[in-house]
Amino acid sequence: MSFSRALLWARLPAGRQAGHRAAICSALRPHFGPFPGVLGQVSVLATASSSASGGSKIPNTSLFVPLTVKPQGPSADGDVGAELTRPLDKNEVKKVLDKFYKRKEIQKLGADYGLDARLFHQAFISFRNYIMQSHSLDVDIHIVLNDICFGAAHADDLFPFFLRHAKQIFPVLDCKDDLRKISDLRIPPNWYPDARAMQRKIIFHSGPTNSGKTYHAIQKYFSAKSGVYCGPLKLLAHEIFEKSNAAGVPCDLVTGEERVTVQPNGKQASHVSCTVEMCSVTTPLAVIDEIQMIRDPARGWAWTRALLGLCAEEVHLCGEPAAIDLVMELMYTTGEEVEVRDYKRLTPISVLDHALESLDNLRPGDCIVCFSKNDIYSVSRQIEIRGLESAVIYGSLPPGTKLAQAKKFNDPNDPCKILVATDAIGMGLNLSIRRIIFYSLIKPSINEKGERELEPITTSQALQIAGRAGRFSSRFKEGEVTTMNHEDLSLLKEILKRPVDPIRAAGLHPTAEQIEMFAYHLPDATLSNLIDIFVDFSQVDGQYFVCNMDDFKFSAELIQHIPLSLRVRYVFCTAPINKKQPFVCSSLLQFARQYSRNEPLTFAWLRRYIKWPLLPPKNIKDLMDLEAVHDVLDLYLWLSYRFMDMFPDASLIRDLQKELDGIIQDGVHNITKLIKMSETHKLLNLEGFPSGSQSRLSGTLKSQARRTRGTKALGSKATEPPSPDAGELSLASRLVQQGLLTPDMLKQLEKEWMTQQTEHNKEKTESGTHPKGTRRKKKEPDSD
């Protein structure tokens, strides 16, 4: 359009401009798409959209990460809008946009489309920047802005263009109904049509620890034509694998890191023992052990999937009575009945009326249960000072080392008669224990929100641990339970007398397919953000909950910058790692980086990476480093079964891991020497941990809970227990003892504190040399 023609357009009366605008937009529609409707039409659409969404919960918009929409540069075709009308006066346009933003009706209409106050503000800022900074605008919005500036249209007519822009920076707004459908988790039984096509027989073996419930289920497993055992731990899967083959029933082993076939030709055996996450078979009979873990905040989904999805004529469940009601409710939705078989404890167990008080009172067959590594180190050292020998078992030890320590403790001919352990002994190990001694009743835990808490152990945990004393198959037929400190004894009795709270809900977990569908709608969102939005949009029945995915998100954020396909990224993020181990985390990062470069992780490469050969540990820090390397080898093996081409040397790595396991076993065997060496070199400070210090904390916590909650002493959250006298236990010592700090972290904090104090004093001195009311020029951040 020539300048004279554009000028003629501008001089037309408002009514004729509107008519010409309609004609022009009609002509341009094939080239620029449909022209947005006016405010009245949008309002009707908003009402329809709002009613269509029904009673869906309001999403948490803080999870919506805005995308960047770049302003338009000069167009190769020129500024068509300016040719049809005239160039826009940016000052006038700014006034129009500000008027648009302040309109209450516009803000209300935005809310109908999911733009709350925060999103509306963010979208408007982006929209205004786009308008003001673009060299040329699309012809439709240029014409509308021109009309508004000349009074031929209303500021409200900008809303369709604003909404279009808002959906560009917040794509969730345009597909939230689809996202709700994808994340609808309300009928999990329907996810397993093959299992629903058969009428399964469900048998629940219910009873406490050492009641024979698992024994009876396993006997059925041995006598079946074929079967699968699903256990909570690798140790338990290994135990059933060995028992089955020893009984003449060929059985394969499947865990996340290991596949073992027993048939000489490599053919699959009729029976398989696996960790519960790995079960995926059709078989006449299945055993699901520790079914109460269906409520576990992180792993509960695996038990839910096994319970609802296993295609077996008979499904035998073993677990606590607290899970019966939930299992019956879940099976009611599948149309299957549950037969409950109750079992009583085979051997008696008694709670003593006196505490141990001193390690001088230890007897053969005693097991001291601690809830932190520092307590284990402290107790082990004190036992050694008394001329006794102890075995040590805690969670981060390799399975082979745990079994070796258990064998050492169980051997009547071995001089080791005392066991020091964490609650890792609660399941998966057969131990000959006469007496369980709780060194503390306070256990760090992670709640459903992923927050760390300090609280008394639950009744279920106390019964699980206490039940390890006096087992039917051990040489101690009667078990005893007590505490280290007398003030904890009454609390322990109270915990054990309380009924176990029934399990209310089962865990669920989004599948890779569901996340891929989310990514299709939100292609620019990070995997961590996709998970957040999925969990927020998800809808579950009252019988289910979405498992905590903090570990998954941690891995997703760790490798976000590495170019990987979504499915590969998802698999890497499901790899089980201990995020408290920096070396393990950095190894996941390195493995992902190698994979993205299409560079296979060979045996030679991994040997160089872990700096093999490794020396025997000289102190506790060396031992912890070796445990981290063992976890890295586990990670390699886990990935090798998902990406065989890129992790090709699993058998060689397994041999390497066995050798490392032997080195760790020797280190744990000499753990008291490592503790002494660590203290000598100030790598470990146990002087601040008097015997039973955590027990005193739990006693204080008990008193506090009684004061604040009356008789409900045990359900309380103890995030901040009152500290003892400073002379007894410093804050730093307590944090180290509770596992919240390590000695290395403590040293680093001390250095940072000293540096900050020096800088603060320096700034204070310098500011004091200037007269009041004057200002010193701020030092540039990077001037040093």
Side-chain angles (χ1 to χ4, degrees):
M1 181 185 285
S2 65
F3 177 75
S4 58
R5 191 175 175 189
L7 187 61
L8 178 62
W9 166 272
R11 288 175 179 171
L12 284 173
R16 292 184 64 187
Q17 278 193 9
H20 281 271
R21 181 184 65 182
I24 291 171
C25 290
S26 177
L28 294 176
R29 189 171 289 117
H31 304 284
F32 294 97
F35 189 74
V38 296
L39 183 61
Q41 293 171 317
V42 172
S43 187
V44 172
L45 290 173
T47 305
S49 174
S50 178
S51 62
S53 62
S56 300
K57 65 179 181 179
I58 299 173
N60 177 11
T61 58
S62 66
L63 302 175
F64 300 171
V65 179
L67 304 178
T68 302
V69 178
K70 294 181 179 180
Q72 290 189 13
S75 173
D77 298 329
D79 194 342
V80 179
E83 289 183 16
L84 291 174
T85 58
R86 65 189 309 167
L88 295 172
D89 184 338
K90 290 298 178 80
N91 290 327
E92 291 297 321
V93 170
K94 187 175 184 301
K95 292 178 183 177
V96 169
L97 292 172
D98 290 343
K99 181 180 178 181
F100 172 82
Y101 177 72
K102 294 174 182 177
R103 292 270 295 158
K104 297 290 185 186
E105 293 83 358
I106 292 296
Q107 295 177 16
K108 184 177 183 303
L109 191 57
D112 290 339
Y113 277 90
L115 289 166
D116 59 16
R118 190 185 71 86
L119 292 188
F120 185 87
H121 177 74
Q122 283 183 289
F124 174 77
I125 296 298
S126 176
F127 181 61
R128 185 178 65 185
N129 291 341
Y130 175 80
I131 297 291
M132 299 301 293
Q133 296 172 15
S134 290
H135 285 81
S136 61
L137 295 168
D138 291 339
V139 63
D140 50 4
I141 190 171
H142 186 110
I143 292 173
V144 170
L145 281 168
N146 182 76
D147 283 0
I148 297 172
C149 289
F150 281 92
H154 195 276
D156 290 355
D157 290 343
L158 282 175
F159 184 80
F161 304 100
F162 166 72
L163 183 62
R164 182 172 68 187
H165 185 88
K167 288 181 177 180
Q168 280 183 277
I169 67 170
F170 295 116
V172 179
L173 298 173
D174 206 23
C175 57
K176 55 186 178 183
D177 290 337
D178 289 331
L179 298 181
R180 283 197 179 96
K181 290 176 184 176
I182 296 168
S183 57
D184 190 337
L185 307 178
R186 285 178 292 186
I187 315 178
N190 290 354
W191 303 350
Y192 309 100
D194 292 341
R196 298 293 76 77
M198 58 193 304
Q199 191 67 22
R200 303 179 305 172
K201 183 178 181 181
I202 312 295
I203 301 169
F204 195 124
H205 300 265
S206 166
T209 306
N210 193 27
S211 60
K213 58 184 185 296
T214 306
Y215 170 81
H216 285 90
I218 294 301
Q219 293 306 307
K220 287 284 186 181
Y221 170 79
F222 289 162
S223 62
K225 183 179 178 182
S226 72
V228 57
Y229 168 84
C230 308
L233 300 171
K234 287 185 286 185
L235 276 176
L236 278 171
H238 268 276
E239 181 184 342
I240 300 303
F241 164 73
E242 291 171 356
K243 282 184 176 180
S244 182
N245 287 296
V249 180
C251 177
D252 291 340
L253 175 69
V254 178
T255 70
E257 300 81 12
E258 195 171 4
R259 309 284 190 278
V260 180
T261 56
V262 295
Q263 302 284 14
N265 56 3
K267 185 180 177 181
Q268 290 185 349
S270 58
H271 288 64
V272 60
S273 178
C274 64
T275 46
V276 68
E277 285 87 351
M278 302 305 298
C279 68
S280 179
V281 293
T282 299
T283 180
L285 184 137
V287 176
I288 306 175
D289 207 356
E290 305 294 350
I291 187 63
Q292 71 276 1
M293 290 190 71
I294 201 170
R295 67 177 166 198
D296 187 88
R299 297 178 64 205
W301 62 271
W303 277 264
T304 304
R305 187 187 65 168
L307 176 62
L308 297 178
L310 274 176
C311 295
E313 297 168 11
E314 281 190 22
V315 179
H316 291 259
L317 312 176
C318 306
E320 298 176 0
I324 293 175
D325 290 344
L326 176 63
V327 168
M328 294 186 79
E329 287 180 26
L330 297 183
M331 293 301 96
Y332 177 78
T333 65
T334 66
E336 295 165 326
E337 294 184 357
V338 180
E339 176 188 339
V340 179
R341 298 179 183 175
D342 290 312
Y343 298 85
K344 302 298 181 184
R345 184 174 169 86
L346 298 174
T347 58
I349 187 169
S350 57
V351 182
L352 302 179
D353 292 326
H354 57 274
L356 188 70
E357 297 289 355
S358 170
L359 295 178
D360 294 329
N361 298 325
L362 285 172
R363 304 196 309 254
D366 280 349
C367 172
I368 303 178
V369 177
C370 308
F371 294 114
S372 79
K373 276 189 181 180
N374 279 295
D375 278 349
I376 283 186
Y377 299 150
S378 176
V379 171
S380 300
R381 187 193 66 172
Q382 294 177 52
I383 290 174
E384 193 262 348
I385 289 173
R386 287 164 171 78
L388 302 175
E389 191 174 335
S390 63
V392 173
I393 296 174
Y394 51 86
S396 59
L397 287 177
T401 305
K402 289 178 186 172
L403 290 171
Q405 289 290 298
K407 183 178 180 181
K408 177 182 172 69
F409 173 72
N410 288 338
D411 186 355
N413 299 319
D414 195 287
C416 171
K417 303 299 182 186
I418 309 296
L419 176 64
V420 183
T422 63
D423 55 340
I425 65 165
M427 60 179 75
L429 289 169
N430 289 317
L431 298 163
S432 297
I433 300 173
R434 181 203 303 271
R435 179 171 58 171
I436 290 285
I437 301 157
F438 285 93
Y439 189 71
S440 165
L441 296 177
I442 302 299
K443 180 184 178 182
S445 63
I446 304 296
N447 65 18
E448 292 181 359
K449 296 180 180 179
E451 300 165 338
R452 188 180 178 89
E453 296 177 347
L454 290 175
E455 56 185 7
I457 57 174
T458 64
T459 301
S460 177
Q461 291 167 338
L463 290 171
Q464 186 82 22
I465 297 168
R468 309 303 289 182
R471 291 181 66 81
F472 181 74
S473 57
S474 77
R475 64 181 184 273
F476 301 116
K477 302 303 180 186
E478 296 185 7
E480 299 173 340
V481 183
T482 187
T483 58
M484 184 69 189
N485 272 43
H486 180 73
E487 51 263 38
D488 281 341
L489 193 54
S490 57
L491 178 59
L492 176 63
K493 290 180 177 179
E494 192 175 344
I495 290 173
L496 293 173
K497 285 180 181 178
R498 285 174 63 90
V500 178
D501 293 331
I503 299 172
R504 303 293 184 189
L508 296 175
H509 189 285
T511 63
E513 291 76 17
Q514 288 170 316
I515 299 303
E516 282 181 333
M517 292 171 71
F518 253 55
Y520 172 80
H521 289 285
L522 305 172
D524 296 311
T526 65
L527 180 54
S528 178
N529 191 225
L530 287 175
I531 292 295
D532 280 334
I533 296 173
F534 184 97
V535 173
D536 183 60
F537 273 76
S538 63
Q539 302 170 75
V540 295
D541 290 330
Q543 298 167 328
Y544 299 95
F545 67 92
V546 180
C547 285
N548 183 291
M549 299 193 66
D550 284 352
D551 288 348
F552 184 98
K553 286 170 52 186
F554 173 85
S555 297
E557 290 163 4
L558 185 67
I559 64 172
Q560 179 56 41
H561 65 286
I562 298 176
L564 297 167
S565 69
L566 182 67
R567 179 59 70 103
V568 169
R569 190 180 302 278
Y570 183 94
V571 173
F572 267 91
C573 293
T574 54
I577 65 169
N578 182 358
K579 61 184 182 182
K580 296 178 184 177
Q581 290 277 13
F583 183 60
V584 179
C585 298
S586 63
S587 298
L588 178 70
L589 185 64
Q590 185 62 37
F591 289 0
R593 187 176 288 119
Q594 288 280 110
Y595 183 99
S596 71
R597 295 171 182 162
N598 200 30
E599 297 175 3
L601 291 92
T602 62
F603 176 67
W605 180 91
L606 192 63
R607 276 174 60 98
R608 290 194 301 271
Y609 178 73
I610 64 174
K611 298 178 181 177
W612 190 269
L614 299 173
L615 299 174
K618 296 179 181 178
N619 50 56
I620 290 296
K621 183 180 180 302
D622 288 349
L623 180 62
M624 294 173 68
D625 289 344
L626 291 177
E627 291 169 9
V629 173
H630 192 280
D631 286 349
V632 169
L633 299 184
D634 258 351
L635 175 62
Y636 182 100
L637 293 171
W638 192 93
L639 291 168
S640 72
Y641 289 106
R642 279 81 182 169
F643 308 110
M644 294 183 182
D645 293 342
M646 298 301 292
F647 297 84
D649 295 331
S651 59
L652 295 173
I653 299 303
R654 195 173 308 285
D655 293 338
L656 199 69
Q657 193 181 47
K658 288 178 182 177
E659 192 173 340
L660 176 58
D661 200 341
I663 297 173
I664 294 175
Q665 285 184 37
D666 291 340
V668 174
H669 181 73
N670 300 310
I671 194 165
T672 52
K673 294 179 182 178
L674 302 185
I675 294 170
K676 282 182 183 178
M677 191 64 68
S678 298
E679 287 193 289
T680 302
H681 292 84
K682 298 183 178 178
L683 296 173
L684 186 68
N685 177 21
L686 299 177
E687 296 302 326
F689 307 133
S691 175
S693 58
Q694 266 203 6
S695 298
R696 282 197 290 278
L697 278 176
S698 64
T700 309
L701 178 64
K702 175 190 171 188
S703 303
Q704 182 195 38
R706 282 182 169 166
R707 285 197 303 273
T708 56
R709 299 188 59 178
T711 58
K712 298 179 181 179
L714 298 182
S716 63
K717 187 188 293 184
T719 55
E720 194 76 32
S723 58
D725 295 338
E728 289 184 3
L729 197 61
S730 68
L731 175 61
S733 297
R734 279 190 286 125
L735 290 174
V736 173
Q737 186 181 37
Q738 293 160 13
L740 300 176
L741 280 179
T742 65
D744 288 343
M745 291 167 65
L746 209 55
K747 289 180 182 178
Q748 182 65 26
L749 286 172
E750 185 179 2
K751 287 180 183 177
E752 292 177 6
W753 170 255
M754 295 300 294
T755 303
Q756 289 176 6
Q757 285 296 102
T758 303
E759 291 176 355
H760 177 71
N761 292 336
K762 184 179 178 183
E763 289 176 4
K764 194 172 179 182
T765 304
E766 289 177 351
S767 62
T769 61
H770 289 75
K772 188 176 181 181
T774 64
R775 287 188 180 179
R776 297 175 64 243
K777 185 178 179 181
K778 269 192 176 180
K779 194 175 184 181
E780 292 299 323
D782 53 351
S783 60
D784 290 338

